[in-house]
Amino acid sequence: MNSMIMENGVTFKTLEKNIFSWVCEIGRQFTTEFLERYDRMLMEERDKKKYRHKGYRQTTIKTVYGEVTYRRAVCEVTEEDGSRHFVYLLDETLQLDHVGLISTNMAELLVKGVTELSYRECAAKVSEMTGQTISAMGVWNVIQSLGEKVCEEETQLVEEYKKGHIQGKREVPVLFEEADGVYVRLQGKDRKSSRQDKAEIKVGIAYDGWKKTGKERYILSDKVVVAGFARAKEFHECREAAIAETYNLEEVCERILNADGASWIKKVKDKSTCFQLDPFHRNKAVRERVHNQKAVKDIMELLDGEKIEELFEYLELYRNSLSEEGEIEDVEELIRYYRNNEEGLLPYQSQGLELPKHPEGLEYRNMGTMENHVWSVIARRMKHNHTSWSRRGGNHLAKILAKKCSGKLYEVTEKRKHPAFEEEKVEEIYGEILMSSKTPKRDGKGYAYPVLGHLVGLEGKVQGDRRKLLAMAGC
C-alpha cells in the first residue's frame, strides 16, 4: 500500500494532512452557515420596537478548526432615558466579550497549554495540532484578557465577602490551611520602577482533610488555592473570600495554619487559628544555620522528640561553644527564628487541641504540603525556566495556575452557566444545513477533491451512514 501511494507522489502523511484540512474547511463553512441562520432566527423573534435593524457587519472568530468569518445583524437600542447604543444579538447570545473573538474550546486549549508551556511553545503546539494558526503574542493577549476577568471576579468576591454575602455549602469541623511565597524575576520596566530584581508571589491553600486513594497514597480533599502578587492584607482578604465561597466558616470548629513563619502570614493570622511552623522550613533552618553535623542530628532529635525547652538550652550551649563569628551569627539567627515561632514548633497534634471526629472518608494527617504546592502551582512554570515577568502578566498567570491546582481551570474560560443556543433551534438548523450539504471544492493548497453534488449519505431516508453523520453533528 505504501509503495502504491509513493508511486502516485502522495505519502500517507500528506493524505492525512489534506483530509484534515478538508474536514476543517467543512467545519468552518458549517459554522458560518449555522451562526448566520441562528442570527436570522434571533432577528425574527426580537422585540422590533426596542431593537431596530441597522444592517449587517462581518466578523471573524478563531476556532479549533480555523477562522470562521460570518455576518450578523446590528441593532440600535433606545433606552428609557433616550440614550442609544448598538448591539449584536448573536454576540450577546455567544457571550464572546469575555474572551474576545476566540471560541471557548480554543480558549481552553490555550489556557491548558500555557499552564505547561511558554507562550511561544503553546502557540506552536496549538497551531500544529488544530486548524487554527496563532502567534505567541496572540496567546499572550488571550491569557491577559482571561486573567483580567479572573482578577475582576476575585475583587467582586471579596466585596461580597466583606458584606457577609458569601457562605459556602460545605460544612466541615476542621479546616487546614497553608501559606508560603515564591520569588520570581521581574521584567525590565517593573524591575526599574520597584528597584528590585524579584517580587514575591504569595500562595495559599485550604482543605478539609486527606482522602486515601491507594496504598499509602492520599490527596487533599476539596482544595482551594489562591495565588498572586499582592500585599499581605489584600492577599488575606482574597484567601478568606475564596475559602468562604467553598466552606461554611460558621460551622468550622478549628482552623489550623501551617506556614514558614513569615511576618506577612502571621500578621493577618486570626488569633483563634492554631499555628504550626512548616516542618520543611523548620528543618531547613537547622541544616543551613548549624555547621556541625553532630549538632544538627542532636537538634533534629530534640525537635522530633518535642522537647522544646531542652532544644533552646542546647542551642544556647552550642552557641557559647563556638569561636567563629560567622557560625555564632548563624546560630543566633536560628534561635531568633525559633523564638519568633515557638508556638508552632510542635505539630498541631501535640498542641492540646480537641479536634472533632473527622468526616467519613477523610483522615487527619501531618501537614506540610506547601513546599510541593509552591513548586507545582508557581515555581515549575514561572521560576526555574529562565523566565521573567511583568507584575500584571505574572499575576494573571499565577491566578490561572491557582485555578488549575484547585481543579477549577474550566472557570477561566467557561463563564456561561446556561446553554447559549436553544436545543430545538439547533436541531432545526443542523437539519437544514446537512440537507443543503454545502461542501468545499478545494482545500487550502488547491488540491481538487473528486466530490460532486451532496456529501455521501446525506440524501434520502435517515438511515445508515446518514444517521451516523447526524449523530456526529449532535442531532
Side-chain angles (χ1 to χ4, degrees), residues 108-118 121-122 126 381:
E108 285 178 357
L109 281 178
L110 297 178
V111 169
K112 289 177 181 177
V114 84
T115 59
E116 298 290 338
L117 305 169
S118 68
E121 291 171 332
C122 177
V126 170
R381 174 63 181 87

Side-chain angles (χ1 to χ4, degrees), residues 165-413:
H165 297 165
I166 303 298
Q167 186 177 76
K169 294 182 180 180
R170 184 158 180 78
E171 297 181 356
V172 295
V174 180
L175 191 62
F176 298 92
E177 304 170 42
E178 303 194 32
D180 201 354
V182 56
Y183 281 86
V184 298
R185 292 185 179 278
L186 293 176
Q187 288 182 351
K189 186 182 293 185
D190 287 312
R191 186 168 63 240
K192 290 178 181 178
S193 62
S194 61
R195 295 183 180 180
Q196 56 184 15
D197 294 337
K198 298 180 180 180
E200 184 181 39
I201 294 179
K202 296 177 174 63
V203 184
I205 64 173
Y207 49 96
D208 57 10
W210 288 256
K211 282 183 182 178
K212 190 170 185 178
T213 59
K215 187 177 180 180
E216 299 300 322
R217 293 185 66 85
Y218 295 85
I219 60 171
L220 303 183
S221 172
D222 290 293
K223 182 168 57 178
V224 176
V225 184
V226 293
F229 290 117
R231 296 182 182 277
K233 183 179 179 181
E234 178 186 345
F235 180 78
H236 176 68
E237 291 174 346
C238 179
R239 185 175 67 92
E240 287 293 303
I243 293 173
E245 188 180 27
T246 298
Y247 295 99
N248 183 353
L249 294 179
E250 293 181 358
E251 299 298 322
V252 175
C253 301
E254 191 71 56
R255 297 179 68 170
I256 304 171
L257 174 64
N258 178 83
D260 64 357
S263 59
W264 68 266
I265 299 174
K266 298 189 72 175
K267 283 180 181 178
V268 297
K269 180 181 75 71
D270 189 275
K271 292 182 179 179
S272 62
T273 299
C274 172
F275 171 70
Q276 172 188 294
L277 185 63
D278 182 63
F280 173 82
H281 290 91
R282 183 196 68 181
N283 298 340
K284 180 183 177 184
V286 176
R287 297 188 180 96
E288 288 183 347
R289 299 297 178 182
V290 178
H291 305 289
N292 183 286
Q293 292 304 310
K294 184 181 182 305
V296 170
K297 183 180 178 181
D298 293 340
I299 294 170
M300 295 300 295
E301 287 179 354
L302 291 171
L303 286 170
D304 293 339
E306 301 178 2
K307 301 175 181 179
I308 305 305
E309 290 186 9
E310 293 181 29
L311 168 68
F312 283 107
E313 291 176 1
Y314 183 92
L315 288 173
E316 294 287 347
L317 290 172
Y318 178 69
R319 180 195 60 186
N320 294 336
S321 69
L322 298 173
S323 57
E324 293 189 14
E325 192 66 29
E327 291 186 6
I328 293 174
E329 290 178 358
D330 283 343
V331 175
E332 288 179 343
E333 181 63 31
L334 176 63
I335 293 173
R336 280 194 297 271
Y337 179 58
Y338 279 179
R339 284 294 185 191
N340 291 336
N341 298 282
E342 187 172 353
E343 60 176 310
L345 287 175
L346 291 178
Y348 75 90
Q349 298 96 325
S350 302
Q351 294 190 28
L353 301 176
E354 296 182 4
L355 297 181
K357 186 176 177 10
H358 54 73
E360 186 177 353
L362 294 183
E363 296 183 23
Y364 295 159
R365 295 171 55 82
N366 294 331
M367 299 179 72
T369 68
M370 198 61 228
E371 198 64 24
N372 177 62
H373 278 85
V374 165
W375 164 256
S376 60
V377 178
I378 300 296
R380 185 168 65 92
R381 174 63 181 87
M382 299 183 67
K383 183 176 182 180
H384 298 296
N385 49 6
H386 305 288
T387 53
S388 60
W389 307 89
S390 66
R391 283 186 176 273
R392 177 173 174 269
N395 191 52
H396 290 164
L397 183 56
K399 294 189 179 300
I400 291 174
L401 290 168
K403 287 283 188 183
K404 179 183 179 180
C405 191
S406 299
K408 298 179 179 179
L409 191 60
Y410 65 91
E411 292 183 355
V412 178
T413 55

Side-chain angles (χ1 to χ4, degrees), residues 2 19 88 98 144 152 164 166 233 243 279 310 321 392 436:
N2 184 56
I19 292 174
Y88 297 97
H98 70 275
Q144 300 318 305
E152 291 174 4
I166 303 298
K233 183 179 179 181
I243 293 173
E310 293 181 29
S321 69
R392 177 173 174 269
S436 65

Side-chain angles (χ1 to χ4, degrees), residues 121-140:
E121 291 171 332
C122 177
K125 283 294 182 184
V126 170
S127 299
E128 178 184 343
M129 301 301 295
T130 70
Q132 176 64 59
T133 301
I134 189 167
S135 66
M137 185 53 67
V139 176
W140 186 88

Side-chain angles (χ1 to χ4, degrees), residues 46-52 75-79 85:
R46 79 187 190 283
D47 182 349
K48 293 182 174 62
K49 293 182 178 180
K50 181 178 180 181
Y51 298 96
R52 296 188 61 189
C75 296
E76 182 183 55
V77 181
T78 303
E79 303 293 349
H85 64 278

